[in-house]
């Protein structure tokens, strides 16, 4: 039973999609507190998802002007064309959508060979089977808990079972990839997401949609700690 317990090693990753794009660096610095290691950066091309956001030069600027590690979530079609630009920028994590790339295994290898941690992302309707045969090659699996494209959407409840199932695979295979969850995470559901097996918890609206950003981060952390505490009580 104890091997099924979630890791204590969780992180909150603020998504700058919900920040003010006119002052991104300033906004990012508002979450410059000890608890935050990574910023989550959503790259959207207006094709794979309807929305448009940042290109590699903005990722490069964030890297230059903030102290954060960067977790770049690519929501782009024709990945092969743009991947070299993002490899060159050298974010810490680079995640590609399984629905958007034909040669997933090759893309993942390319990312790792560039010295970057490789992530694979799944839309809500995509089965876990889509990543089964690359699990040994990846550092992170991103379960989307909303349909990608916009911040501030409602968490899709079925995501919880998907996270649990992936966590079961991870335990069975003694694998080391991180489970990340993105979309609709808020203080009232983050505990359940964590208990299902997620370690990297992305939050856009729940951080940058709030006035006091450091407090918003701490509220999310406290909600996870509360879930941990309850689990501890339940086990006695
Ligand atoms: C959605 C993005 C998310 C987004 C999450 O396509 O991938 O990273 O910022 O925003 P919230 O937390 O507001 O759902
Ligand atoms: Zn994202």
């Amino acid at each position: 039973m104890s091997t099924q317990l979630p890791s204590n090693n969780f992180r909150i990753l603020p998504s700058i999609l919900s920040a003010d794009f006119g002052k991104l660096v300033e906004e990012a610095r508002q979450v410059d507190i000890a608890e935050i290691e990574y910023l989550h950066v959503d790259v959207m091309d207006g094709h794979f998802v309807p929305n448009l956001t940042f290109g590699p030069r903005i990722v490069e600027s964030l890297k230059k002007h903030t102290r954060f590690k960067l977790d770049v979530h690519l929501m782009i079609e024709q990945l092969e064309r743009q991947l070299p630009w993002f490899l060159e920028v050298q974010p810490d994590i680079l995640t590609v959508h399984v629905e958007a790339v034909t040669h997933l295994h090759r893309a993942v290898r390319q990312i790792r060979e560039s010295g970057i941690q490789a992530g694979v992302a799944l839309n809500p309707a995509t089965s876990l089977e889509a990543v089964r045969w690359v699990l040994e090659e990846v550092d992170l699996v991103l379960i989307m808990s909303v349909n990608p494209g916009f911040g501030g959407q409602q968490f899709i409840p079925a995501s919880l079972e998907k996270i649990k199932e992936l966590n079961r695979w991870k335990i069975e295979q003694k694998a080391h990839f991180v489970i990340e969850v993105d979309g609709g995470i808020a203080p009232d559901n983050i505990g359940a997401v964590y208990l299902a097996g997620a370690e990297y918890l992305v939050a856009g609206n729940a951080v940058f949609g709030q006035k006091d950003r450091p407090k918003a981060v701490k509220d999310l952390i406290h909600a996870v700690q509360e879930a941990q505490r309850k689990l501890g009580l339940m086990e006695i």
Side-chain angles (χ1 to χ4, degrees):
M1 174 65 195
S2 63
T3 54
Q4 304 229 346
L5 290 179
S7 148
N8 278 329
N9 207 8
F10 72 93
R11 286 175 178 73
I12 308 291
L13 295 88
S15 166
I16 54 163
L17 184 64
S18 294
D20 183 339
F21 286 10
K23 45 176 185 172
L24 269 186
V25 169
E26 210 181 309
E27 290 274 89
R29 288 188 182 146
Q30 287 210 13
V31 292
D32 195 348
I33 55 174
E35 293 86 346
I36 301 300
E37 183 179 1
Y38 289 92
L39 278 185
H40 181 85
V41 184
D42 289 302
V43 174
M44 304 184 183
D45 68 348
H47 294 280
F48 179 65
V49 290
N51 207 353
L52 270 170
T53 56
F54 325 106
R57 296 287 80 86
I58 292 187
V59 180
E60 194 174 33
S61 290
L62 282 167
K63 189 173 165 175
K64 191 167 153 198
H65 296 295
T66 74
R67 59 111 181 137
F68 299 105
K69 291 182 181 170
L70 298 181
D71 170 35
V72 173
H73 176 191
L74 293 181
M75 284 159 275
I76 57 177
E77 273 178 10
Q78 298 190 312
L79 179 83
E80 285 78 2
R81 219 172 53 168
Q82 298 184 14
L83 187 59
W85 303 341
F86 289 95
L87 296 178
E88 200 181 310
V89 171
Q90 289 277 300
D92 297 272
I93 306 171
L94 192 56
T95 296
V96 299
H97 265 267
V98 302
E99 305 85 359
V101 48
T102 311
H103 300 290
L104 183 64
H105 187 274
R106 180 187 289 152
V108 161
R109 279 267 172 100
Q110 260 180 292
I111 295 169
R112 275 189 155 182
E113 279 164 10
S114 303
I116 301 166
Q117 294 188 61
V120 285
L122 297 160
N123 280 338
T126 304
S127 165
L128 288 177
E129 282 298 328
V131 295
R132 183 188 279 275
W133 304 108
V134 293
L135 284 179
E136 282 185 12
E137 309 271 347
V138 303
D139 301 289
L140 177 145
V141 179
L142 169 54
I143 303 287
M144 287 306 300
S145 43
V146 297
N147 289 292
F150 301 95
Q153 302 180 75
Q154 286 290 314
F155 182 86
I156 297 171
S159 314
L160 281 180
E161 194 44 50
K162 199 170 179 184
I163 301 162
K164 286 181 192 164
E165 177 71 12
L166 180 61
N167 196 38
R168 279 193 287 270
W169 287 12
K170 181 176 163 175
I171 291 163
E172 275 164 27
Q173 297 178 13
K174 298 189 175 64
H176 295 291
F177 59 83
V178 166
I179 301 178
E180 179 173 47
V181 177
D182 182 10
I185 289 185
D188 65 353
N189 60 24
I190 195 167
V193 174
Y194 167 78
L195 292 182
E199 297 165 286
Y200 282 18
L201 306 153
V202 177
N205 187 53
V207 174
F208 287 109
Q210 313 304 311
K211 219 170 173 183
D212 183 342
R213 278 73 183 266
K215 180 181 177 297
V217 170
K218 284 176 182 155
D219 287 348
L220 291 167
I221 291 172
H222 290 151
V224 175
Q225 288 170 340
E226 182 63 14
Q228 290 174 323
R229 197 183 61 77
K230 277 191 183 148
L231 186 75
L233 283 179
M234 273 157 41
E235 292 231 317
I236 290 170

